[in-house]
Amino acid sequence: MIGIVMGSLSDYKVMMKAEEVLCEFGVPYEITIVSAHRTPDLLFSYADSARHRGLKGIIAGAGGSAHLPGMLAAKTPLPVYAVPIKATCLDGLDSLLSIVQMPYGVPVATFAIDGAGNAALFAVQQLAVDDDRLFKRLVEFRLAQTQKVLDTKLVAAVGPLQPC
Ligand code: RP5
């Protein structure tokens, strides 16, 4: 249902969070290495066949001169959720700026540097628009994270707070 692609195996340490989120929500996915620069023909065939293979969106992570998400979006109107990856001396800012400034007509939803988890959550949210089961699981996920914050015992971690 969702394709996860990344420019290199070295991106997997970041992109595995997207895999984890899709697993948690029971969303079927495929995961593939596709490089805009090293395997441009594979990028084209991947994007051309994506819809026929049943994909409803593509989460694309890339570092450096990160053309993968934009080129996928150029080749298919499926939603592309981009994850800029911290992979070079420029700490991911290079990837972010490469990805985020898409020209009008070819949008890419760009997430935080190394933000694969939120990219996957957003993909799940879009699938949930037409899926009551997924929507319910998202509501439960939000409630659980709220409860986790409320249950955090700050006193145990830093000692009792002093009145001002
Ligand atoms: C990009 O270049 C990849 O997405 C990766 O983040 C970066 C470095 O790739 P490797 O040299 O580690 O294969 O294309």
Side-chain angles (χ1 to χ4, degrees), residues 6-11 35 37-38 61-65 85 87-88:
M6 64 201 90
S8 166
L9 184 59
S10 63
D11 299 324
S35 167
H37 305 115
R38 293 169 178 157
S65 299
I85 291 180
T88 73

Side-chain angles (χ1 to χ4, degrees), residues 7 10 15 19 35 41 52-53 60 68 83 85 88-90 93 98 110 122 127 135 138 146:
S10 63
M15 296 308 288
E19 206 177 12
S35 167
D41 295 339
H52 300 298
R53 287 184 291 109
L68 178 63
V83 183
I85 291 180
T88 73
C89 305
L90 298 179
L93 194 57
S98 297
T110 306
F122 197 79
L127 295 175
F135 198 90
L138 281 164
T146 298

